[in-house]
Amino acid sequence: MTGSLAADWTNPQAIGYPVLIGGVLLGSIVPVVPTGAVVGAAAAVAMTTPHLSLPLVLLASTLAAFVGDLVTYGVARLGGEAAVRFVARGQTPEQLSRARVRFTRHGWQLIVVGRLVPAGRIPALVAAGTLGYPWRRLLPSALVACLLWAVAYALLGILSGGLFDNPLVATLGAAVLVLLVGALSAGIAGLVRRRRERRAPDVGPGEPEEMIDPAAGPARHGPLPPTDQERP
């Protein structure tokens, strides 16, 4: 029995649709699963075996990521402060602050770009939720973003599957490609962010930051209220 289970886990054909959907959905809500690697591996399996269908891999990946993003946005929009801290854990206050400011300027574009840029998805969705971005605008933006994301990572699996005939080697190759592309993208994004901050920071020293109280619903705009010590 144990040997059978071990064989299943080491066999790349064991990456079925439930594993694909569950991994992407979980990783889209709680970022503990490398969702891009899951999609790339599934695409590699689809290219090298009849076990999976590539169109179904794209469809399942897109829908699972879409549902996960809606959950993250819904928690940020409807949940309290503790819920927002839960979905935004690992994000610094500076990252969330920059995302809120940029979201007021770019809106749906930040949702699409945030899905494709490493560490950009959660700040964008949290900003959308805490700012009360309308559902009717979020739904098409998030769907397009998830489709582009699924296609991008599936292409890496297709590339690996085209280079290697062995399903296991193709799956490992897809995972390595995903990691390399992710590291390169993160490096480029960090470089661009540092250059932008040196030229013109999002929030100047004298510019009041938007006041956002996740527990109170849509964002309120304006400077922060004075503290007890600051009141006359």
Side-chain angles (χ1 to χ4, degrees), residues 117 184-198:
V117 175
L184 180 61
S185 301
I188 294 175
L191 179 61
V192 172
R193 183 173 60 250
R194 286 192 295 271
R195 288 184 176 179
R196 184 186 295 118
E197 289 172 351
R198 285 198 299 266

Side-chain angles (χ1 to χ4, degrees), residues 165-192:
D165 294 331
N166 186 293
L168 178 59
V169 176
T171 302
L172 294 176
V176 171
L177 285 175
V178 168
L179 293 176
L180 290 176
V181 170
L184 180 61
S185 301
I188 294 175
L191 179 61
V192 172

Side-chain angles (χ1 to χ4, degrees), residues 83-168:
V84 174
R85 283 200 303 266
F86 174 77
V87 297
R89 66 193 181 283
Q91 306 294 321
T92 65
E94 290 76 15
Q95 287 177 307
L96 298 177
S97 176
R98 286 195 298 266
R100 286 192 294 265
V101 173
R102 289 172 185 164
F103 197 88
T104 59
R105 301 173 182 171
H106 304 292
W108 66 269
Q109 301 174 36
L110 192 64
I111 296 176
V112 175
V113 174
R115 238 299 168 183
L116 301 175
V117 175
R121 181 182 64 88
I122 291 180
L125 292 173
V126 170
T130 53
L131 289 171
Y133 193 67
W135 284 95
R136 67 181 183 278
R137 296 182 181 178
L138 177 88
L139 293 176
S141 303
L143 184 59
V144 170
C146 292
L147 176 59
L148 293 176
W149 170 84
V151 169
Y153 281 104
L155 286 175
L156 297 178
I158 293 172
L159 176 61
S160 180
L163 293 175
F164 306 105
D165 294 331
N166 186 293
L168 178 59

Side-chain angles (χ1 to χ4, degrees), residues 17 20-21 24 55-65:
Y17 298 110
L20 171 63
I21 295 172
V24 173
L56 290 181
V57 167
L58 287 173
L59 178 62
S61 303
T62 300
L63 293 180

